[in-house]
Structure formats: structure tokens, C-alpha cells
Amino acid sequence: MARMKISAIEATRLGKIARLPLAIRDWLNERLQDGEPARGLVKELNSLPEVREILEDHFEGRPINEQNLSAWKLGGFREWQRFQRTRVTARDFLGEAAALEDEVDVSPEDDPRSFLDRVADRMALALLQLFREAEDSDKGPERTRTMLAIADKLERLRRGDHRRQRMEILEQRLRDDHTAVRNAAYAKRQEQAAKDSADVKAYARMLRMCYVKAIEQQRDLDAPWAENARAYFAAHAEVLRQIGVPDLPPRPVDTADEEGHEPASEEPVEAVSAPENSEDTSVSVASA
């Protein structure tokens, strides 16, 4: 776009220097950029065969003077300077675009910004560069319109950036709330598991105490509750070990049955009810 603009302006220029070939004009602009004095440049220009030919064809052989060079410095030379800055900026953006392709593979942990966020940063830089170039241009309605249009684009980018920041804050709050709810639910499950573990532990210890008492009294070891107790401890051996409940003691040989005598009558073993929240809690101790 910058090149097209310069070409259109140059097409309207009919001065002596504007008629010169592009290579000579670029050479002259570079010498002016280096700050060489006008008198030496004018003398060198008029000595070139290509320049003398153009002057003969279009200006009746009148040579280039310092006034012609001053007019060129205020017009064509300034446009050339703006174009050079645009070229440098374009090269920088192309280099950044190549680097951007590598950045796309960056993980969110290394750079949490999205691809579009990084593109927006470069768009803002480009608009700022265009704004500076508009400031350097000749004053007039076109310059004012251009600067206002660029300022409007920058303001839109700024508003979009503010909206993005607000959305990021809201998303972070939602993530924090979700984490808090998840942590609260986990803590509640842990609390319930601890309560259930305590209930199972108390039930298993009561069941074991009744079983030990039955062994001491040498009775009720063939009763349904005793069979259920042995099955309960066998099915939950790992869990009971983890919560610190010892296994049931081995069942002794019933010497009274071997001699054909009834065992001595003792007080009945009290029944034990299973906790409400424990698994496999159908075991209870029946009355003797």
C-alpha cells in the first residue's frame, strides 16, 4: 500500500529530479540521508550522462540547481524516508511472523496467552508505526483523517484488550470456585470415610470381643452369629488390618463335646448390632 501511494505521488511530480531514473533517485536519497552537502550533489548530478539527457529532452538542457534539490528534499526525499521506514517495519514483522510459527507450539504453561493475543500485540505495534508515519507526513485534511482512523483502530484494540482481561478474570474466578467446590466435596467424602471407618472399627472390635468371650466360655462357636463373624473377618481382612483390628483368634478344640458332656452353663453373650454405614453389616451376635 505504501509503495502504491508513493508511485501515485511520484507520477504527479514533474520536477527535474522526479524525472530521473529510479536508480539515480535512490542514490541521491541515500546521499541526502548521509547528510552530504547540496552543492556537491548538484554538481555530481549534472555530470551524469543520464541526467544531462533527461534535462535536454524535458527542460531544454537547464541544469539541476540547489533550489531544485531543496524542493526535492521537502517532497520526494521525505516520501522515500517514510517508505524506507515502512520497509524496515515490514521486514521486522515478517521476521516476527516466522518466529510466531515456532511460538505456536509453546505450551500454555510456558505462555498462557492465546495465539490471537500475540497477533493482537503485533497489530498494535503496526498501528503505532503507521500513526508515527502519519505524524511525519505533510499537514492537511488527509493527514488528519489518517491519524483519526488509526487512533480509532487503536482504541478498538484497547477496548478489546480490556474485555479480554475481564473475561480472563471471570474465567479464573470460575476455576477457583470449581476448585473450591471440588475440594469441599473431597473433604466431605474423606470425613464420611473416616466416620465409616470408625464405625466399622468399633463394630469389628465389639464382634471380636464377643467371639473371644465365647471362646473363653467354650460355647456358641457353632452358632450362626459365630459363623457370620468368621466370614466377616475373612471377607474384610485387609481393611480390618489397615484400621488396626486384629484377626479373630483360632477356634479351640471343643473338649466337652469329645467327652460327651454338656458344656457348663454360662451367662449368654450379648447381641451386637452392625453400624448403619458399614459394608456387610448383617453380622450380629445372637443370645446364647
Side-chain angles (χ1 to χ4, degrees):
M1 179 177 179
R3 178 70 258 181
M4 292 175 61
K5 180 178 179 182
I6 291 174
S7 299
I9 294 175
E10 288 177 350
T12 63
R13 295 185 182 278
L14 301 176
K16 296 176 182 177
I17 297 177
R19 293 272 190 174
L20 299 179
L22 177 62
I24 295 178
R25 281 185 280 124
D26 285 342
W27 168 85
L28 175 62
N29 290 328
E30 290 173 359
R31 303 287 289 273
L32 290 173
Q33 184 78 11
D34 293 338
E36 294 193 21
R39 180 172 299 180
L41 291 175
V42 168
K43 183 178 180 180
E44 195 166 353
L45 278 173
N46 287 321
S47 67
L48 296 175
E50 299 92 337
V51 174
R52 290 200 301 268
E53 182 179 351
I54 291 175
L55 294 176
E56 288 289 343
D57 292 341
H58 300 282
F59 302 97
E60 299 178 352
R62 292 191 298 273
I64 296 173
N65 54 40
E66 294 186 19
Q67 183 179 355
N68 299 142
L69 187 60
S70 296
W72 176 256
K73 289 173 67 175
L74 295 176
F77 175 61
R78 286 188 178 181
E79 292 164 9
W80 178 84
Q81 286 180 313
R82 285 194 292 269
F83 178 60
Q84 295 305 310
R85 287 195 294 269
T86 302
R87 290 180 61 187
V88 171
T89 303
R91 284 196 299 267
D92 291 342
F93 286 145
L94 288 175
E96 290 177 0
L100 188 61
E101 294 180 358
D102 298 332
E103 292 178 13
V104 172
D105 295 330
V106 175
S107 64
E109 292 77 10
D110 296 330
D111 188 353
R113 300 184 305 158
S114 70
F115 174 81
L116 291 178
D117 291 336
R118 294 193 288 272
V119 171
D121 292 343
R122 285 154 176 79
M123 290 178 62
L125 290 174
L127 287 173
L128 288 173
Q129 176 65 27
L130 292 174
F131 191 84
R132 286 195 293 268
E133 292 178 4
E135 283 184 313
D136 294 339
S137 62
D138 297 333
K139 293 183 179 180
E142 181 64 26
R143 174 178 180 268
T144 302
R145 284 193 295 269
T146 301
M147 293 181 67
L148 289 176
I150 296 173
D152 179 67
K153 296 295 184 182
L154 285 170
E155 176 62 20
R156 291 185 182 184
L157 272 180
R158 188 182 66 86
R159 290 197 298 266
D161 187 60
H162 288 175
R163 286 195 295 270
R164 178 183 60 79
Q165 291 178 359
R166 287 195 294 269
M167 288 299 299
E168 288 179 353
I169 293 173
L170 290 175
E171 289 175 358
Q172 184 60 47
R173 288 178 179 173
L174 287 175
R175 286 193 294 269
D176 293 342
D177 292 344
H178 181 71
T179 301
V181 170
R182 188 171 61 248
N183 290 342
Y186 177 77
K188 186 175 181 180
R189 288 195 301 271
Q190 290 294 100
E191 181 181 357
Q192 184 62 43
K195 182 178 181 300
D196 293 344
S197 177
D199 291 344
V200 170
K201 187 174 184 178
Y203 170 68
R205 283 184 172 178
M206 183 64 69
L207 192 62
R208 187 178 188 281
M209 183 183 68
C210 293
Y211 193 86
V212 170
K213 186 175 181 180
I215 290 177
E216 292 173 351
Q217 296 176 357
Q218 297 186 3
R219 59 182 297 118
D220 293 335
L221 293 178
D222 290 325
W225 76 266
E227 293 291 340
N228 289 339
R230 287 190 289 272
Y232 184 85
F233 270 77
H236 301 84
E238 184 63 27
V239 175
L240 295 176
R241 271 196 301 272
Q242 291 177 0
I243 61 178
V245 178
D247 198 2
L248 291 177
R251 178 178 179 179
V253 177
D254 194 341
T255 55
D257 290 340
E258 290 180 354
E259 296 174 356
H261 301 290
E262 293 291 332
S265 177
E266 300 289 345
E267 295 181 359
V269 179
E270 296 180 356
V272 179
S273 299
E276 295 181 359
N277 295 329
S278 62
E279 296 181 359
D280 194 7
T281 56
S282 61
V283 180
S284 63
V285 180
S287 300

